Amino acid sequence: MPHKYATLKMRQIRRNPNQPRETFNEEALAELASSIKEHGLLQPIVVRKVSEGYELVAGERRFRANELAGNITIETKILLADGDDEISDMVSFKKAMAENLNREDMLPLEEARGFKKVLDEEEDATPASVAKTFSKSVQYVNQRLALLALRPEIQKAVDLGHIGTQAAVQIAALSKDNQKAVFQDWKKGDKNDNQLVHIAYAMRKQEKAAQQDSMVDVEEMTPEEKAQRSSAQAKTKNDLDEIERMCELLDIIGKADPMELARLLEGQVGKRLEQMDRVANFVQKARFQLRQAKAHADASEIMVNPEAAAPDLVAEADAVLAGLEPTGGGTSEAEAGSAPASDAEAAPGDAPKQESAPEQEGAPGSEENDAEATPAPAAA
């Protein structure tokens, strides 16, 4: 896009009312202001010509810091329209989004609202086109959009960094009643982010199973079904007890002298090491399944209404963007939406729910798992 550089007076420039970033760290702004006083503004802000002066397109943080530094002028890069066309509000908004996404840390919900604005207001926009515009993956965009289905109090916890994005995405797939239930349980302070991911995922699985009438209550079982269940329970417990008895053997090997082991095995060390690796692999898988089982047990205790429908993402996103909590305070089944959203496909403005299981421990996760496996420090 054509442009020119010029020094403008600060009062000639108005802030962008559609600035996608709403939260700025005051301490970081003060540090930047000190740097500007010492070294000057190293990179100009970007503006566009409007009916009365100029409007900020990109560089809100630099603009605020320059103002804080007491400067009355600022170096600018003025975008020029092609021909008689004006630089549209959407073009300006997307440039502001791009700068904040790629240069500064935006809050997750700020990103989500920015993506939603482009989807709503740009003709033929899709999550794929939004992802390409901002050099993000489609999964990244969809995960951010999913956050708009969260209850307002959970959104706040996400923006403060108390709940990681991966856990928030799993919670967002729940009904409003169960979102509230899992949030109330989380506030007790005895569950980390990884546990929250697994519990929320388990709750969603139980919601779906209840909607499909596939969860049979013990009281509704026939005598034969109860006998089969009792036998399966006894076998599973016995199998786990057998594994526990193997711990003594593993402890003996673990305490053995390596040189003595090499002499005793006489050329079979490599073979026996492969054997132990196979055992370790099975143990890891079994441990993961038991953690999932623990998550389902915790989820069953937390669940308020397993038959509740999943959120209507479009309605909830609109409510959040309007700054309103959904009608009814978030405690009724009707509030959660009239019908569960399809997992296979969703409207362009929706965030498709991903029903992939949480990653096994020690395995590579999705693109954000490593960064957000534990709660992040609170943002200003």
Side-chain angles (χ1 to χ4, degrees), residues 232-250:
Q233 287 176 329
K235 183 180 184 305
T236 301
K237 292 174 183 177
N238 185 62
D239 289 344
L240 290 171
D241 289 339
E242 287 292 325
I243 294 172
E244 180 67 24
R245 283 188 281 273
M246 290 174 58
C247 290
E248 184 177 347
L249 299 176
L250 293 172

Side-chain angles (χ1 to χ4, degrees), residues 290-335:
L290 283 172
R291 282 193 175 275
Q292 289 289 87
K294 177 65 166 60
H296 276 285
D298 291 341
S300 296
E301 294 180 3
I302 297 170
M303 293 278 281
V304 173
N305 185 2
E307 292 83 13
D312 179 341
L313 297 184
V314 175
E316 296 305 331
D318 289 343
V320 170
L321 290 173
L324 302 173
E325 184 156 1
T327 305
T331 56
S332 69
E333 182 174 346
E335 177 200 48

